[in-house]
């Protein structure tokens, strides 16, 4: 406890106040789990991005240009900055955000937004530096700019990968052929180093393009398995959820949804097109997407959670063990709270989401826009019962040899319900081993640097882990 408190003081970050339970708006049942929905904060203006920060606060962007930290326990909104040159018109404005994974040492905040240059609407990626002492963002550094934009189809989500590269989605800016033009930055998922340079191992040398053929990606997430997923708006048909693979083509505008028409089939074969995992016709205006694998809601283990604008749904997409198919999907509600844009999950398994009823396409309620939380209030992650279960199952997870140099064998008392993952001392994922139907796996450590690592997986919906020393 003393070490944690000292860290927070040194970093200038404050722990949230003791949690309070807000009045329930509704309760829902998922299997045998009862979930309570309540409001954390009201009277927001078109929230766009929502992240769980390393300070245990929520970090939020609003389309008009404001960046804030939100205390998840009290709902207090602490503004950090209103970006002066944001142009909010139509669907444009301040969009996605990402926080540097090593936030204490590198307190960088990455944002993407629309701005006006010479009378033209454009898009850029900017890095800010956070001052915890002052509670401000400053020292803006443009990493990528001058991307053509219009008032619709701008994307844009940001995601930092464990290898410290950044993914950025862009829309086609209503210039449909540009999505297939490898020289254009529109209609793509881009991959950059955190200083804005081009990674040497991108699919095309010297190019920022990671994938192409996108119309308007609205969500981007990396699951614990290491797989990447994106949600994307279709035209009047075929909203998509995609499995993102480097160098792949996602078809737009030549393919809408699946490769199921003769012309589409020919294009898909010739252009390495990756068809979607699922598609929605009529469209629901898919938006934010996140991965869920917490014991707080065990029925949602190894799944994606997605919100939508037009349909106002919270949708659970259950993945298969390999994570390359959607095994089933279900909606927790539809349209009850209006348009939904952003979603994230806390380390305690609470689901935070925001309405988007002040975005010009709905009739806002008296308290819109709202930040909501969906939680299992009966779940106590540090309770004696849960701790004893984790300890018992972790004890049954064996690793030999330990310390290890070349390889290590991991044995479990039963087949795991999630992939086996290896994390370094900073929590970064270094290796993933599929565990479908298996209770034993071998870790290849020949390219793993010496040090202390953590092996993680899930048994019967409960996360388990064990330390491994690599020599």
């Amino acid at each position: 406890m003393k070490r944690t408190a000292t860290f927070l003081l040194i970093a200038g970050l404050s722990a949230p106040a003791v949690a309070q339970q807000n009045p329930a708006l509704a309760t829902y049942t998922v299997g045998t789990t009862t979930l309570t929905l309540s409001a954390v904060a009201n009277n927001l203006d078109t929230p766009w991005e929502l992240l769980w920060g390393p300070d245990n606060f929520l970090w939020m962007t609003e389309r008009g240009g404001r960046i804030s930290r939100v205390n998840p326990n009290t709902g207090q909104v602490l503004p950090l900055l209103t970006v002066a040159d944001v142009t909010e018109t139509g669907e444009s404005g301040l969009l996605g955000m990402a926080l540097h994974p090593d936030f204490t040492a590198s307190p960088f905040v990455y944002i993407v937004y629309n701005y006006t240059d010479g009378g033209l609407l454009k898009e850029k990626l900017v890095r800010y530096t956070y001052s915890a002492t002052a509670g401000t963002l400053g020292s803006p550094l443009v990493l990528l700019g001058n991307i053509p934009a219009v008032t619709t189809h701008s994307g844009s989500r940001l995601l930092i990968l464990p290898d410290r590269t950044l993914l950025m989605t862009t829309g086609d800016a209503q210039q449909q052929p540009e999505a297939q033009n490898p020289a254009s930055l529109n209609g793509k998922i881009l991959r950059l180093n955190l200083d804005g340079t081009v990674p040497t191992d991108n699919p095309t040398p010297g190019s920022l393009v990671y994938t192409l053929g996108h119309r308007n990606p609205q969500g981007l997430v990396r699951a614990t398995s290491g797989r990447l997923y994106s949600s994307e708006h279709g035209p009047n048909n075929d909203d998509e959820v995609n499995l993102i693979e480097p160098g792949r083509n996602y078809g737009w505008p030549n393919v809408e949804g699946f490769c199921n028409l003769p012309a589409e089939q020919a294009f898909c074969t010739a252009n390495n097109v990756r068809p979607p995992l699922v598609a929605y016709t009529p469209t629901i205006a898919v938006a934010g997407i996140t991965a869920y694998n917490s014991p707080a809601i065990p029925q949602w283990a190894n799944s994606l959670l997605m919100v939508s604008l037009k349909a106002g749904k919270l949708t659970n997409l259950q993945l298969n063990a390999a994570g390359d198919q959607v095994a089933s999907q279900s909606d927790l509600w539809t349209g009850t709270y209006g348009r939904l844009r952003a979603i994230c999950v806390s380390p305690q398994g609470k689901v935070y989401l925001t309405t988007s009823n002040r975005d010009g396409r709905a009739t806002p309620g008296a308290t819109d826009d709202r930040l909501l939380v969906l939680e299992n209030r009966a779940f106590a992650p540090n309770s004696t019962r849960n701790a004893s279960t984790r300890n018992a199952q972790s004890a049954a997870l064996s690793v030999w040899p330990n310390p290890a140099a070349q390889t290590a064998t991991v044995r479990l008392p039963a087949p795991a319900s999630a992939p086996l993952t290896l994390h370094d001392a900073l929590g970064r994922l270094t290796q993933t081993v599929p565990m479908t139907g298996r209770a034993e796996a071998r870790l290849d450590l020949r390219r793993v640097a010496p040090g202390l690592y953590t092996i993680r997986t899930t048994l019967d919906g409960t996360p388990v882990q064990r330390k491994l020393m690599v020599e």
Side-chain angles (χ1 to χ4, degrees), residues 268-454:
C268 290
T269 300
N271 293 278
N272 193 30
V273 170
R274 180 53 163 98
L277 297 179
V278 294
Y280 299 92
T281 301
T283 56
I284 61 174
V286 294
I289 192 168
T290 191
Y292 198 91
N293 204 25
S294 169
I297 312 175
Q299 295 84 358
W300 285 354
N302 189 37
S303 70
L304 304 175
L305 298 178
M306 182 175 68
V307 290
S308 52
L309 293 159
K310 185 165 63 176
K313 294 182 178 183
L314 174 60
T315 300
N316 169 254
L317 300 115
Q318 188 65 51
L319 300 170
N320 66 349
D324 58 358
Q325 295 179 26
V326 172
S328 63
Q329 56 181 307
S330 59
D331 300 325
L332 195 61
W333 67 71
T334 300
T336 309
Y337 309 100
R339 295 166 65 82
L340 303 172
R341 169 79 68 180
I343 186 169
C344 74
V345 178
S346 78
Q348 295 76 34
K350 298 180 181 182
V351 180
Y352 292 87
L353 57 156
T354 64
T355 67
S356 187
N357 293 320
R358 296 184 65 183
D359 63 8
R361 297 196 173 184
T363 302
T367 57
D368 276 326
D369 277 319
R370 294 186 287 178
L371 167 61
L372 308 172
V373 60
L374 183 70
E375 59 187 312
N376 175 6
R377 290 184 172 179
F379 178 71
N382 297 317
S383 70
T384 302
R385 178 177 56 84
N386 289 328
S388 62
T389 300
R390 286 195 303 272
N391 291 339
Q393 293 191 329
S394 293
L397 189 159
S398 63
V399 185
W400 185 87
N402 190 6
Q406 297 291 315
T407 63
T409 299
V410 180
R411 292 190 178 93
L412 307 169
S417 50
L420 193 76
T421 57
L422 183 68
H423 302 259
D424 67 13
L426 295 177
R428 295 175 294 193
L429 179 68
T430 61
Q431 194 170 141
T432 300
V433 179
M435 293 294 290
T436 304
R438 296 197 296 155
E440 182 174 313
R442 177 169 292 184
L443 294 173
D444 185 350
L445 306 175
R446 289 174 294 178
R447 296 185 179 180
V448 176
L452 183 63
Y453 291 79
T454 303

